[in-house]
Amino acid sequence: MKNKFLVLLLALVMVLGAVACSNKKTNENTNTNNTANTEEDVAAQEDTADKVVDENYYNVYTKNYESSIVPLEESYYIYGDVDSAEKYYKDHDYPGNKEYLQEVKDALIDSKAKIQDFIDNMEKEGTSDNDKVNKLNKEMIDDGKKLIEDIDKRLKKLDDISDKDLEKSDAEFRRLVGDHIVLEKEGDHEFRIILRKLDKELNIERKSPEK
């Protein structure tokens, strides 16, 4: 999938982190030739076993993460400030103010839809027999709903950009878009943090993408 550079999509910073992931789960020992395990090996295996708290929830979570969150991670690089955009466009063609604005809107709309799908599915299917996982799942869903509300606010602010604004220079316009994305009352989101906590509980490791 072609990577897009979009600047100051602060709503997504809470979500995006790692593309590649390796899911580590306890495997049954199939070696019947009996090479004796050391005490450390046994302890490590027991520790890993403790972390796989709920097979059913694990399957639901990873399935929905792969279908909703990973596509966002593969589509957008988030640099988080306007200065990064200036550096980027020194070496890349700028699509024009109108097209740039539409790319930002499309990214937010796409992100909103995928986050909505993720929390809807986790609210419907993500029940665990582990109290801590259930608590984190609920916190993630509640924070995801607030995150979506903030994305809507950003989209509404971007709609206020006028045809006259489109006549600004490239740099001025990118800064204007950045100013419109910043909310006066920014939600104190922990969506990404909660996802990482769930990863830890489910013994999932995610590797940072190469940029």
Side-chain angles (χ1 to χ4, degrees), residues 4-19 65 68-81 102-116 143-144 146-152 154-155 158 181-183 186-187 189-193 195-196 209 211:
K4 298 178 180 179
F5 175 90
L6 296 169
V7 63
L8 255 172
L9 296 182
L10 301 180
L12 308 184
V13 175
M14 312 299 175
V15 180
L16 306 185
V19 177
Y65 194 103
S68 297
I69 304 301
V70 168
L72 293 181
E73 296 169 344
E74 293 178 341
S75 297
Y76 311 118
Y77 283 124
I78 309 301
Y79 290 83
D81 58 58
Q102 191 59 52
E103 281 188 356
V104 174
K105 286 182 177 180
D106 289 346
L108 287 170
I109 292 168
D110 183 41
S111 301
K112 175 188 172 182
K114 287 184 170 61
I115 295 168
Q116 186 72 65
D143 197 76
K146 295 176 184 176
L147 184 60
I148 288 171
E149 290 176 1
D150 276 358
I151 293 176
D152 283 334
R154 288 181 166 86
L155 287 167
L158 290 175
I181 289 177
V182 176
L183 301 178
E186 189 74 38
H189 299 295
E190 295 188 349
F191 192 77
R192 181 182 175 184
I193 295 172
L195 290 178
R196 297 293 78 87
K211 294 186 177 146

Side-chain angles (χ1 to χ4, degrees), residues 79-141:
Y79 290 83
D81 58 58
V82 176
D83 291 336
S84 295
E86 302 312 307
K87 293 177 183 178
Y88 179 84
Y89 285 117
K90 285 180 180 179
D91 302 318
H92 296 78
D93 291 335
Y94 182 64
N97 290 343
K98 186 175 182 179
E99 291 76 11
Y100 176 77
L101 176 60
Q102 191 59 52
E103 281 188 356
V104 174
K105 286 182 177 180
D106 289 346
L108 287 170
I109 292 168
D110 183 41
S111 301
K112 175 188 172 182
K114 287 184 170 61
I115 295 168
Q116 186 72 65
D117 283 346
F118 181 71
I119 63 175
D120 284 350
N121 289 333
M122 293 308 299
E123 189 168 30
K124 186 179 358 180
E125 306 171 18
T127 301
S128 173
D129 56 10
N130 180 277
D131 290 340
K132 186 173 182 180
V133 170
N134 271 331
K135 182 174 181 291
L136 287 170
N137 189 69
K138 185 179 184 306
E139 290 175 357
M140 178 267 294
I141 291 167

Side-chain angles (χ1 to χ4, degrees), residues 167-184:
E167 298 173 3
K168 294 180 181 292
S169 69
D170 296 356
E172 283 182 309
F173 187 75
R174 288 193 293 269
R175 291 186 181 276
L176 176 70
V177 171
D179 289 341
H180 276 68
I181 289 177
V182 176
L183 301 178
E184 291 181 4

